[in-house]
Amino acid sequence: MAATSDFPSDLLAGQEELRQVQAELSTLLKRLPWSVEPLDGFSDDTGSRLVERPASPGWTDDEQAEVEKLRRREHELVVFVSTHRYWAGLAGVDRVHARSRLKHAHEAPPPGGTEPSP
């Protein structure tokens, strides 16, 4: 089974950029109002739990453009990583384990310098 260092550099770079874009998008969405369009607040206790939302001023055009830009780039990177030629050389469980290692390639290796077994 291939070590993390056996991944092509463009695949590693694509995965790292994907991780960064997803983190940036998540941070942005957490700070934006809950509704894209301006909406009044509400309280609903008819379900199994109380749901409350304050009034939302909506997103600005710039905020909407930034979310769209990040989502578009995320999609491009997901397609690049998932269809990379590297995966053609692996099958079944080896591909699954390699994909998992790629997702964690940015993490520091464990003490002793060896990679964990899948």
Side-chain angles (χ1 to χ4, degrees):
M1 195 168 311
T4 301
S5 60
D6 293 339
F7 290 118
S9 60
D10 64 331
L11 181 56
L12 284 167
Q15 178 63 41
E16 177 59 20
E17 185 180 353
L18 174 58
R19 188 183 67 78
Q20 291 172 357
V21 167
Q22 288 172 331
E24 188 176 343
L25 180 58
S26 177
T27 299
L28 176 61
L29 291 172
K30 285 177 184 173
R31 78 167 173 77
L32 290 175
W34 63 270
S35 174
V36 176
E37 299 295 325
L39 287 176
D40 293 335
F42 67 90
S43 179
D44 182 3
D45 62 358
T46 59
S48 60
R49 62 189 171 109
L50 176 64
V51 177
E52 293 183 312
R53 296 273 192 246
S56 172
W59 297 359
T60 66
D61 290 342
D62 288 344
E63 290 167 337
Q64 290 181 45
E66 182 66 15
V67 168
E68 180 59 31
K69 180 183 97 172
L70 289 170
R71 285 183 173 156
R72 193 175 312 114
R73 185 61 183 151
E74 178 186 34
H75 178 76
E76 292 168 355
L77 290 164
V78 165
V79 170
F80 172 78
V81 169
S82 64
T83 62
H84 194 279
R85 67 190 174 283
Y86 175 79
W87 305 118
L90 300 171
V93 72
D94 289 339
R95 187 181 296 174
V96 172
H97 290 162
R99 181 68 181 115
S100 181
R101 279 193 316 283
L102 178 65
K103 287 182 179 181
H104 298 282
H106 68 281
E107 297 170 358
T114 59
E115 292 189 28
S117 297

Coordinates of all heavy atoms in Angstrom, one line a residue, residues 37-78:
E37 N -31.9 35.9 1.8 CA -32.8 37.0 1.6 C -33.2 37.6 2.9 O -33.3 36.9 3.9 CB -34.0 36.5 0.8 CG -33.7 35.9 -0.6 CD -33.2 37.0 -1.5 OE1 -33.6 38.2 -1.5 OE2 -32.3 36.6 -2.4
P38 N -33.5 38.9 3.0 CA -34.0 39.4 4.2 C -35.3 38.8 4.6 O -36.2 38.6 3.8 CB -34.2 40.9 3.9 CG -33.4 41.2 2.7 CD -33.3 39.9 1.9
L39 N -35.4 38.3 5.9 CA -36.6 37.7 6.4 C -36.8 38.1 7.8 O -35.9 38.3 8.6 CB -36.5 36.1 6.3 CG -36.5 35.5 5.0 CD1 -36.3 34.0 5.1 CD2 -37.9 35.7 4.3
D40 N -38.1 38.1 8.2 CA -38.4 38.3 9.6 C -38.0 37.2 10.5 O -37.9 36.0 10.0 CB -40.0 38.5 9.8 CG -40.4 39.8 9.1 OD1 -39.6 40.7 8.9 OD2 -41.6 39.8 8.7
G41 N -37.8 37.4 11.7 CA -37.5 36.3 12.7 C -38.8 35.5 12.9 O -39.9 35.9 12.6
F42 N -38.6 34.3 13.5 CA -39.7 33.5 13.8 C -39.4 32.6 15.0 O -38.3 32.4 15.4 CB -40.2 32.7 12.6 CG -39.2 31.6 12.2 CD1 -39.2 30.3 12.7 CD2 -38.2 31.9 11.3 CE1 -38.3 29.4 12.3 CE2 -37.3 31.0 10.9 CZ -37.4 29.7 11.4
S43 N -40.5 32.0 15.6 CA -40.4 31.1 16.7 C -41.4 30.0 16.3 O -42.6 30.3 16.1 CB -40.7 31.7 18.0 OG -40.6 30.8 19.0
D44 N -41.0 28.7 16.4 CA -42.0 27.6 16.0 C -41.8 26.5 17.1 O -40.7 25.9 17.2 CB -41.6 27.1 14.6 CG -42.6 26.0 14.2 OD1 -43.5 25.6 14.9 OD2 -42.3 25.4 13.1
D45 N -42.8 26.3 17.8 CA -42.8 25.2 18.8 C -43.7 24.1 18.5 O -44.1 23.3 19.4 CB -43.0 25.8 20.2 CG -44.4 26.4 20.4 OD1 -45.2 26.4 19.4 OD2 -44.7 26.9 21.5
T46 N -44.1 24.0 17.3 CA -45.1 22.9 16.9 C -44.4 21.6 16.7 O -45.1 20.5 16.7 CB -45.9 23.3 15.6 OG1 -45.0 23.5 14.6 CG2 -46.7 24.6 15.9
G47 N -43.1 21.5 16.5 CA -42.4 20.3 16.2 C -41.9 19.7 17.5 O -42.4 20.0 18.6
S48 N -41.0 18.8 17.4 CA -40.4 18.1 18.6 C -39.5 19.0 19.4 O -39.2 18.6 20.5 CB -39.7 16.8 18.2 OG -38.6 17.2 17.3
R49 N -39.1 20.1 18.9 CA -38.2 21.1 19.6 C -38.5 22.5 19.1 O -39.0 22.7 18.0 CB -36.8 20.7 19.4 CG -36.3 20.8 18.0 CD -34.9 20.2 17.9 NE -34.5 20.2 16.5 CZ -33.6 20.9 15.9 NH1 -33.0 21.9 16.6 NH2 -33.4 20.8 14.6
L50 N -38.2 23.4 19.9 CA -38.4 24.8 19.6 C -37.3 25.3 18.6 O -36.2 25.0 18.7 CB -38.3 25.7 20.9 CG -38.4 27.2 20.8 CD1 -39.7 27.6 20.3 CD2 -38.0 27.9 22.1
V51 N -37.8 25.9 17.6 CA -36.9 26.5 16.6 C -37.1 28.0 16.5 O -38.3 28.5 16.4 CB -37.2 25.9 15.2 CG1 -36.3 26.5 14.1 CG2 -37.0 24.4 15.2
E52 N -36.1 28.7 16.8 CA -36.1 30.2 16.7 C -35.1 30.8 15.9 O -33.9 30.3 15.8 CB -36.0 30.8 18.2 CG -37.1 30.4 19.1 CD -36.9 31.1 20.5 OE1 -35.8 31.0 21.0 OE2 -37.9 31.7 20.9
R53 N -35.4 31.8 15.1 CA -34.4 32.5 14.3 C -34.7 34.0 14.5 O -35.8 34.5 14.4 CB -34.6 32.2 12.8 CG -34.3 30.7 12.5 CD -32.8 30.5 12.2 NE -32.6 29.2 11.6 CZ -31.9 28.3 12.2 NH1 -31.4 28.5 13.4 NH2 -31.7 27.1 11.6
P54 N -33.6 34.8 14.6 CA -33.8 36.2 14.7 C -34.1 36.7 13.3 O -33.9 36.0 12.3 CB -32.4 36.7 15.2 CG -31.5 35.7 14.7 CD -32.2 34.4 14.8
A55 N -34.5 38.0 13.1 CA -34.6 38.6 11.8 C -33.3 38.5 11.1 O -32.2 38.7 11.7 CB -35.1 40.0 11.9
S56 N -33.4 38.3 9.8 CA -32.1 38.2 9.0 C -32.1 39.4 8.0 O -33.1 39.6 7.2 CB -32.1 36.9 8.2 OG -31.0 36.9 7.3
P57 N -31.0 40.1 8.0 CA -30.9 41.2 7.0 C -30.6 40.7 5.6 O -30.6 41.4 4.7 CB -29.7 42.0 7.6 CG -28.9 41.0 8.3 CD -29.8 40.0 8.9
G58 N -30.3 39.4 5.5 CA -29.9 38.8 4.2 C -28.4 39.0 3.9 O -27.7 39.6 4.7
W59 N -28.0 38.5 2.8 CA -26.6 38.6 2.4 C -26.4 39.7 1.4 O -27.3 40.0 0.6 CB -26.1 37.3 1.8 CG -26.1 36.1 2.6 CD1 -26.5 36.0 3.9 CD2 -25.7 34.8 2.2 NE1 -26.3 34.7 4.3 CE2 -25.9 33.9 3.3 CE3 -25.3 34.3 1.0 CZ2 -25.6 32.6 3.2 CZ3 -25.0 32.9 1.0 CH2 -25.1 32.1 2.1
T60 N -25.3 40.4 1.5 CA -25.0 41.4 0.5 C -24.6 40.8 -0.8 O -24.3 39.6 -0.9 CB -23.8 42.3 1.0 OG1 -22.6 41.5 1.0 CG2 -24.1 43.0 2.3
D61 N -24.6 41.6 -1.9 CA -24.2 41.0 -3.2 C -22.8 40.5 -3.1 O -22.4 39.5 -3.7 CB -24.3 42.1 -4.3 CG -25.8 42.4 -4.6 OD1 -26.7 41.6 -4.3 OD2 -26.0 43.5 -5.2
D62 N -21.9 41.2 -2.4 CA -20.5 40.8 -2.2 C -20.4 39.4 -1.5 O -19.6 38.6 -1.8 CB -19.7 41.8 -1.5 CG -19.4 43.0 -2.4 OD1 -19.6 43.0 -3.6 OD2 -19.0 44.1 -1.8
E63 N -21.2 39.3 -0.4 CA -21.2 38.0 0.3 C -21.7 36.9 -0.5 O -21.1 35.8 -0.5 CB -22.1 38.2 1.6 CG -21.5 39.1 2.6 CD -22.4 39.5 3.7 OE1 -23.7 39.4 3.5 OE2 -21.9 39.9 4.8
Q64 N -22.8 37.1 -1.3 CA -23.3 36.1 -2.2 C -22.3 35.7 -3.2 O -22.1 34.5 -3.5 CB -24.6 36.5 -2.9 CG -25.8 36.7 -1.9 CD -27.0 37.1 -2.6 OE1 -27.4 36.6 -3.7 NE2 -27.7 38.0 -2.0
A65 N -21.6 36.7 -3.8 CA -20.5 36.4 -4.8 C -19.4 35.6 -4.2 O -18.8 34.7 -4.8 CB -20.0 37.7 -5.4
E66 N -19.0 35.9 -2.9 CA -17.9 35.2 -2.3 C -18.3 33.7 -2.0 O -17.5 32.8 -2.3 CB -17.5 35.9 -1.0 CG -16.4 35.2 -0.3 CD -15.0 35.3 -1.0 OE1 -14.9 36.1 -1.9 OE2 -14.1 34.6 -0.6
V67 N -19.5 33.5 -1.6 CA -20.0 32.1 -1.3 C -20.0 31.4 -2.7 O -19.5 30.2 -2.7 CB -21.3 32.1 -0.7 CG1 -22.0 30.7 -0.7 CG2 -21.2 32.6 0.8
E68 N -20.5 32.0 -3.7 CA -20.6 31.3 -5.0 C -19.2 31.0 -5.5 O -18.9 29.9 -6.1 CB -21.3 32.2 -6.0 CG -21.4 31.6 -7.4 CD -22.1 30.3 -7.4 OE1 -23.0 30.0 -6.6 OE2 -21.8 29.5 -8.3
K69 N -18.2 31.9 -5.4 CA -16.9 31.7 -5.8 C -16.2 30.5 -5.1 O -15.6 29.7 -5.7 CB -16.0 33.0 -5.6 CG -14.6 32.9 -6.0 CD -13.8 34.2 -5.7 CE -13.1 33.9 -4.4 NZ -12.2 34.9 -4.0
L70 N -16.4 30.5 -3.8 CA -15.8 29.4 -3.0 C -16.5 28.1 -3.3 O -15.8 27.0 -3.4 CB -15.9 29.7 -1.5 CG -15.0 30.8 -1.0 CD1 -15.4 31.2 0.4 CD2 -13.6 30.4 -1.1
R71 N -17.8 28.1 -3.5 CA -18.5 26.8 -3.9 C -18.1 26.3 -5.2 O -17.9 25.1 -5.5 CB -20.0 27.0 -3.8 CG -20.5 27.1 -2.4 CD -22.0 27.2 -2.4 NE -22.5 27.1 -1.0 CZ -23.7 27.6 -0.6 NH1 -24.5 28.2 -1.4 NH2 -24.0 27.4 0.7
R72 N -17.9 27.2 -6.2 CA -17.4 26.9 -7.5 C -16.0 26.3 -7.5 O -15.8 25.2 -8.1 CB -17.5 28.1 -8.4 CG -17.3 27.8 -9.9 CD -17.5 29.0 -10.8 NE -18.6 29.8 -10.5 CZ -18.6 31.0 -10.1 NH1 -17.4 31.6 -9.9 NH2 -19.7 31.7 -9.9
R73 N -15.1 26.9 -6.7 CA -13.8 26.4 -6.6 C -13.8 25.0 -5.8 O -13.0 24.1 -6.2 CB -12.9 27.4 -5.9 CG -11.4 27.0 -5.8 CD -10.8 26.9 -7.2 NE -9.5 26.4 -7.1 CZ -8.9 25.7 -8.1 NH1 -9.5 25.3 -9.2 NH2 -7.6 25.3 -7.9
E74 N -14.6 24.9 -4.8 CA -14.7 23.6 -4.1 C -15.1 22.5 -5.1 O -14.5 21.4 -5.1 CB -15.7 23.8 -3.0 CG -15.9 22.4 -2.2 CD -17.0 22.5 -1.2 OE1 -18.0 23.3 -1.4 OE2 -16.9 21.9 -0.1
H75 N -16.1 22.8 -5.9 CA -16.6 21.8 -6.9 C -15.4 21.4 -7.9 O -15.2 20.2 -8.1 CB -17.8 22.4 -7.7 CG -18.3 21.4 -8.7 ND1 -19.0 20.3 -8.4 CD2 -18.1 21.4 -10.0 CE1 -19.3 19.7 -9.6 NE2 -18.7 20.3 -10.5
E76 N -14.7 22.4 -8.4 CA -13.6 22.1 -9.3 C -12.6 21.2 -8.6 O -12.1 20.3 -9.3 CB -12.9 23.5 -9.7 CG -13.8 24.3 -10.6 CD -13.2 25.7 -10.8 OE1 -12.2 26.1 -10.1 OE2 -13.8 26.5 -11.5
L77 N -12.3 21.5 -7.4 CA -11.2 20.8 -6.7 C -11.7 19.3 -6.4 O -10.9 18.4 -6.5 CB -10.8 21.5 -5.4 CG -10.0 22.7 -5.7 CD1 -9.9 23.6 -4.4 CD2 -8.6 22.4 -6.2
V78 N -13.0 19.2 -6.0 CA -13.5 17.9 -5.7 C -13.4 17.0 -7.0 O -13.0 15.8 -7.0 CB -15.0 17.9 -5.2 CG1 -15.7 16.6 -5.3 CG2 -15.0 18.5 -3.8

